[in-house]
Amino acid sequence: MSKRRVIPGFGLSMGFTITYLSLIILIPLAALFLKAARLSGAEWWAILTTPQVIAAAKLTFGASAAAATVSTVFGLLVTWVLVRYQFPGRKFLDAMVDLPFALPTAVAGITLTAIYAPNGWIGEYLAKWGIEAAYSPLGVFIALTFIGFPFVVRTLQPVMEDFGSEYEEAAATLGAGRWTVFWRVIFPMFIPALITGFTLAFARAIGEYGSVIFISGNLPLKTEILPLLVVGQLEQFKYEAAAVIAAAMLMASFALLFLINLLQRRLNWQNH
Amino acid sequence: MSQRSVTTESAVVRFLLIGAAVLVLSLFLLLPLAAVFVEAFRKGWEVFLASLHDEAAASAIKVTLLAAGISVPLNTLFGVSAAWLVTKFKFRGRSLLVSLIDLPFAVSPVIAGLVWVLLFGARGWFPQTAMADTFAPAARFTAWLAQHQGFGWLFSDFAIWLADPKIIFALPGIVIATTFVTFPFVARELIPLMESQGSDQEEAAVTLGASGWHVFFRVTLANIKWGLLYGVLLCNARAMGEFGAVSVVSGHIRGETNTLPLHVEVLYNEYQFSAAFACATLLAFLALVTLGMKSVVEHFTRHTSSDHK
């Protein structure tokens, strides 16, 4: 420490922050990994390759990826319209984008079920077409899209707001059409934010529980998600199995966020 | 077609894009919101009011308020402390610390409940029986304190709990699970805000002889109050609405350890749809108030920042 610190409170804030972080987050998470680490590799393999876990993992990761993709497309459209255009109700809709963040997941869950159930507002019409929305993988996808899409909007919005018009003007002066300007000039600038938004939505979707379990119907091997299996193992007092599934899920989430960090650094570095 | 500006689309394209975005948002956000209230009032006002006057609902509201009432102030204290540490000082491991603060966002709510069961559950590392033995002297001492007239009542509930220290399937479990899940919210809101404000004002105040606490309350707090308020509101909304983590540790004991979201689940699973949605309106209302406050806070922060310029 070469320079004396002018502002006081380093020791106090450091002490409190580290202690609290350890007690609430680090020690409990460490306990989970220690519990899971007591089992051998073969036991891990046995737990993670049961048909139930494999089916749930396929559904969780598949529906999460699909939902995050659709969220990204919707998010790009909605952000573009909210940032670039003026129209009545814009501020209201902008505020409502955060609804999935603020609405408790259980409320979202029962409400989406009420809408997409065979006798629901939208489900009724889908049923006529022979589409089963609630109590099917499609329902899981709908709930995860609802949960994930604000992440894309809120990641992209500040980038789009800061995006000056000089590049577009330059491109247009050079004779590029609007469509070319969008795909060749504007869109590439948004790619890092879109990837971040996608990943945040995807990571959130993997762990999502409350909004999914009502609309999915929890049919064994068909519409069970990984978090539900963790709860199921716990209810049978199989702590080790619950810890192993949870540890595997956490490692997937952490790896995903780590990858995105690397990718972001790469892209930022290229842009500069 | 006369194009006025090269940086916007033709009126037709604009109209189509706005229409598509409004349609997506309406179907996706407004329709579910409307559905909560329509379903709640489907059987009329009487059923709606009766569902809220129910004893189990009252208990659920009480548990929810208690859990949020403990975890939100704790996380606020942490958020302010962490933001102060991260934005006012440079030290090794600073960026690691920021990533660790965000960690709970990457953890499934179910896992946030599971970790506490692994620690304090019947087959956990600190089971209730072991803790009762450890706490026995403290329990006797608190029981003795509780017998005093005047201040004894302060300790009576604590004495009862210490004699039988239940965490999982009880209120303490609900509180710590909620604290885990809502951990980053205040810090996440404050860190970028305080980073953008820098620490020139604090340094000036210290140079002029102000004490540390004085600087914090008179300078920093005045600058961050709106951001802090919004962080607390978000934290509170999540604390009152948390479902997954709480459902793992609560045990769903009716009238005892059900929070409002868990009560909604129980009613729904018992096919009491109108009652479930009636209780859900309370939570939806909380969400709307939070969103409304967000707009108000954004309005004020924009005003104050333009005042400074």
Side-chain angles (χ1 to χ4, degrees):
Chain A
M1 224 176 355
S2 52
K3 207 177 110 193
R4 230 181 73 86
R5 291 191 169 97
V6 184
I7 294 175
F10 180 72
L12 179 68
S13 59
M14 176 67 105
F16 179 71
T17 303
I18 299 294
T19 311
Y20 190 79
L21 176 73
S22 309
L23 285 177
I24 302 291
I25 307 295
L26 299 182
I27 294 175
L29 281 180
L32 169 74
F33 282 105
L34 283 176
K35 188 86 178 177
R38 279 191 188 166
L39 274 69
S40 68
E43 284 168 309
W44 270 62
W45 185 251
I47 291 168
L48 293 179
T49 52
T50 57
Q52 220 182 359
V53 173
I54 290 178
K58 273 186 190 159
L59 174 65
T60 306
F61 286 99
S64 298
T69 309
V70 171
S71 296
T72 307
V73 176
F74 281 177
L76 177 63
L77 168 72
V78 167
T79 318
W80 179 270
V81 169
L82 287 178
V83 171
R84 293 253 169 165
Y85 304 145
Q86 292 292 334
F87 58 96
R90 188 183 65 90
K91 281 206 163 152
F92 170 72
L93 287 179
D94 190 9
M96 290 302 289
V97 166
D98 280 331
L99 184 74
F101 284 159
L103 194 69
T105 53
V107 178
I110 62 169
T111 310
L112 291 174
T113 314
I115 293 177
Y116 289 99
N119 57 353
W121 294 0
I122 296 180
E124 192 186 343
Y125 297 100
L126 291 177
K128 277 181 193 157
W129 289 77
I131 302 170
E132 208 183 355
Y135 321 123
S136 75
L138 181 63
V140 178
F141 161 79
I142 290 170
L144 294 179
T145 312
F146 176 80
I147 289 299
F149 126 102
F151 285 96
V152 180
V153 178
R154 291 305 179 225
T155 317
L156 188 58
Q157 203 168 20
V159 178
M160 218 184 260
E161 275 166 359
D162 287 344
F163 184 72
S165 54
E166 59 269 22
Y167 300 106
E168 293 168 61
E169 281 163 8
T173 318
L174 293 170
R178 193 65 195 147
W179 189 244
T180 317
V181 173
F182 179 79
W183 283 113
R184 302 292 291 275
V185 179
I186 303 178
F187 184 71
M189 300 291 230
F190 296 156
I191 289 177
L194 283 173
I195 294 178
T196 310
F198 173 88
T199 316
L200 289 176
F202 186 52
R204 168 73 199 261
I206 292 172
E208 182 53 30
Y209 179 69
S211 60
V212 176
I213 55 160
F214 296 99
I215 198 169
S216 74
N218 306 326
L219 310 169
L221 294 173
K222 273 192 191 151
T223 61
E224 281 182 327
I225 50 167
L226 280 176
L228 184 81
L229 288 192
V230 174
V231 174
Q233 299 294 341
L234 210 53
E235 276 167 358
Q236 300 167 41
F237 298 101
K238 291 181 182 162
Y239 284 16
E240 281 81 11
V244 165
I245 301 173
M249 278 173 66
L250 278 181
M251 286 192 282
S253 299
F254 292 166
L256 205 66
L257 293 176
F258 180 73
L259 263 178
I260 205 62
N261 255 324
L262 279 186
L263 198 69
Q264 283 273 289
R265 263 180 218 172
R266 260 251 162 102
L267 286 169
N268 280 337
W269 183 75
Q270 276 176 349
N271 280 347
H272 284 299
Chain B
M1 196 169 61
S2 69
Q3 206 170 3
R4 287 218 181 116
S5 164
V6 291
T7 55
T8 191
E9 290 70 42
S10 67
V12 180
V13 174
R14 270 208 311 264
F15 183 77
L16 285 176
L17 286 177
I18 293 175
V22 171
L23 185 72
V24 165
L25 289 175
S26 308
L27 273 180
F28 239 66
L29 301 176
L30 303 184
L31 191 70
L33 190 63
V36 179
F37 291 94
V38 171
E39 293 288 335
F41 289 107
R42 182 155 276 183
K43 287 187 182 154
W45 271 97
E46 288 80 15
V47 176
F48 178 81
L49 289 176
S51 332
L52 296 184
H53 271 106
D54 179 56
E55 218 169 284
S59 151
I61 292 171
K62 205 176 113 190
V63 173
T64 302
L65 291 177
L66 253 171
I70 299 171
S71 61
V72 173
L74 276 177
N75 283 335
T76 305
L77 205 63
F78 165 78
V80 172
S81 159
W84 181 271
L85 176 69
V86 164
T87 60
K88 302 295 175 200
F89 307 104
K90 283 210 154 38
F91 52 92
R92 270 178 59 186
R94 183 176 164 279
S95 58
L96 175 70
L97 182 64
V98 175
S99 316
L100 287 179
I101 291 171
D102 277 345
L103 205 57
F105 281 142
V107 176
S108 169
V110 167
I111 298 176
L114 168 72
V115 292
W116 299 110
V117 177
L118 293 180
L119 281 174
F120 297 114
R123 286 186 49 223
W125 296 20
F126 308 105
Q128 195 185 347
T129 44
M131 288 209 303
D133 292 344
T134 322
F135 289 165
R140 278 196 295 277
F141 178 68
T142 329
W144 174 76
L145 278 179
Q147 283 165 5
H148 280 77
Q149 281 185 340
F151 65 85
W153 59 273
L154 276 171
F155 296 95
S156 55
D157 279 351
F158 190 43
I160 294 169
W161 183 79
L162 273 178
D164 184 24
K166 210 169 177 200
I167 291 183
I168 301 306
F169 303 154
L171 188 65
I174 295 173
V175 172
I176 48 180
T178 307
T179 309
F180 186 107
V181 173
T182 56
F183 178 87
F185 282 86
V186 178
R188 216 45 331 245
E189 206 58 38
L190 286 184
I191 290 173
L193 179 66
M194 284 169 70
E195 202 133 56
S196 71
Q197 287 175 343
S199 37
D200 299 349
Q201 295 189 15
E202 281 86 354
E203 276 168 16
V206 171
T207 320
L208 293 171
S211 75
W213 292 112
H214 207 84
V215 172
F216 173 73
F217 281 109
R218 288 298 178 81
V219 181
T220 312
L221 200 58
N223 282 334
I224 62 169
K225 59 180 183 239
W226 292 113
L228 179 64
L229 176 67
Y230 182 52
V232 170
L233 282 170
L234 269 185
C235 187
N236 179 65
R238 183 68 197 266
M240 290 189 172
E242 178 50 31
F243 178 72
V246 170
S247 107
V248 170
V249 294
S250 122
H252 293 80
I253 308 167
R254 199 174 192 143
E256 239 178 88
T257 64
N258 268 350
T259 62
L260 202 47
L262 295 180
H263 185 59
V264 170
E265 183 204 14
V266 169
L267 289 173
Y268 188 86
N269 287 341
E270 288 171 354
Y271 301 101
Q272 302 188 43
F273 295 131
S274 290
F277 278 102
C279 292
T281 55
L282 293 182
L283 292 164
F285 186 67
L286 172 76
L288 286 179
V289 169
T290 309
L291 292 185
M293 285 300 292
K294 187 195 175 195
S295 303
V296 172
V297 166
E298 271 173 358
H299 179 78
F300 271 105
T301 41
R302 237 164 245 168
H303 265 260
T304 44
S305 60
S306 57
D307 284 349
H308 279 297
K309 272 168 195 167

